[in-house]
Amino acid sequence: MIFLKEMLNNFFEKVFQNKNFCYLSLIIFFALLSFFYSNIIDQRAIIESLIISDTIFYEDKFNPLYLSSNNSYSSILFGLKILIELGISTKLLNFLILFISLTLNAFGIYLISKQLCKNNFFSLIIATFILTFQINFGDLDYPTLIISEHTNSILSSAIVVFIFGLLAINRIFQALLFSIFLISIHIVLGLWMTCIITFYLFFFQKK
């Protein structure tokens, strides 16, 4: 009995010491969760992309949604517009948006937790628990969203979490690249993160 317990403990430790297994577990779990929510939630960015690609036709060119969609810039909108024009299903795009958002969030939380507690299994549980139950640790001037129809908000916050995860493991260059990309999605968050990382590089990295 003791031997069996030790064998199971050793197997458990070996499995969860493998970071690739942890990443794969997060990808599979959040792919399933994304599939579930993609059948419930329709992403606003897809609707706006359908408008700017003229798939949805508005006779009233002064309609607020039409004006907002055609006069706002976001790399997400134009990326989706291209994919829609290529014939990619909106259902698939709906799933992919949620999947990318949740996966970036999960990786970011996992990396931060792992750096703090040095335990793969515990970090895996923390990331899964927080995102599954959409635990909110506080808002700024508008709610922090995890699973929502607000595409720019969920992707922007997910990228920020992932950037902090990269910073936790000292991947400064990759974090800077993601923060620059973030400017094309959410200019305020993107500039904020880029300034923080640039400030860190200029004043602390040399030391």
Side-chain angles (χ1 to χ4, degrees):
M1 189 69 179
I2 296 174
F3 172 75
L4 180 61
K5 185 178 179 180
E6 288 180 356
M7 187 174 70
L8 289 173
N9 285 336
N10 289 334
F11 174 76
F12 183 83
E13 287 178 5
K14 286 181 180 178
V15 167
F16 287 101
Q17 279 176 356
N18 187 334
K19 63 180 181 180
N20 292 329
F21 173 81
C22 293
Y23 289 134
L24 183 61
S25 298
L26 289 172
I27 288 170
I28 293 171
F29 179 80
F30 286 108
L32 294 172
L33 194 64
S34 300
F35 179 76
F36 171 76
Y37 277 105
S38 66
N39 291 302
I40 301 172
I41 298 172
D42 292 324
Q43 293 298 315
R44 288 192 177 186
I46 293 178
I47 297 170
E48 292 174 1
S49 299
L50 289 169
I51 292 171
I52 64 175
S53 65
D54 291 326
T55 305
I56 296 177
F57 179 72
Y58 274 88
E59 289 185 5
D60 181 9
K61 301 302 180 183
F62 294 99
N63 181 284
L65 184 57
Y66 179 86
L67 290 172
S68 172
S69 300
N70 281 277
N71 292 283
S72 60
Y73 173 78
S74 168
S75 59
I76 294 174
L77 290 183
F78 287 94
L80 288 171
K81 176 179 179 289
I82 292 169
L83 293 173
I84 288 168
E85 289 174 347
L86 290 173
I88 306 299
S89 165
T90 55
K91 286 187 176 181
L92 176 59
L93 293 174
N94 205 48
F95 162 78
L96 287 174
I97 289 169
L98 283 171
F99 174 65
I100 291 169
S101 172
L102 284 170
T103 304
L104 288 175
N105 264 316
F107 284 177
I109 295 169
Y110 170 77
L111 291 172
I112 294 167
S113 303
K114 183 183 173 186
Q115 192 65 21
L116 291 173
C117 67
K118 310 296 183 184
N119 187 303
N120 281 349
F121 177 70
F122 187 61
S123 301
L124 196 67
I125 295 299
I126 288 175
T128 305
F129 183 81
I130 288 173
L131 296 175
T132 302
F133 294 99
Q134 302 182 58
I135 296 175
N136 191 340
F137 292 103
D139 301 324
L140 296 174
D141 57 339
Y142 58 87
T144 302
L145 303 173
I146 295 174
I147 299 173
S148 168
E149 73 274 12
H150 300 282
T151 313
N152 279 30
S153 295
I154 62 172
L155 283 174
S156 298
S157 61
I159 292 172
V160 169
V161 172
F162 184 61
I163 288 170
F164 280 119
L166 291 172
L167 291 174
I169 58 173
N170 207 33
R171 299 289 181 88
I172 309 297
F173 179 71
Q174 291 91 330
L176 183 60
L177 288 179
F178 271 95
S179 66
I180 293 170
F181 171 69
L182 181 57
I183 295 173
S184 70
I185 300 173
H186 195 299
I187 190 167
V188 175
L189 284 177
L191 288 173
W192 176 60
M193 291 303 301
T194 302
C195 288
I196 288 174
I197 297 169
T198 304
F199 180 84
Y200 171 80
L201 286 172
F202 187 78
F203 288 99
F204 298 103
Q205 192 70 1
K206 292 180 180 179
K207 298 179 182 180

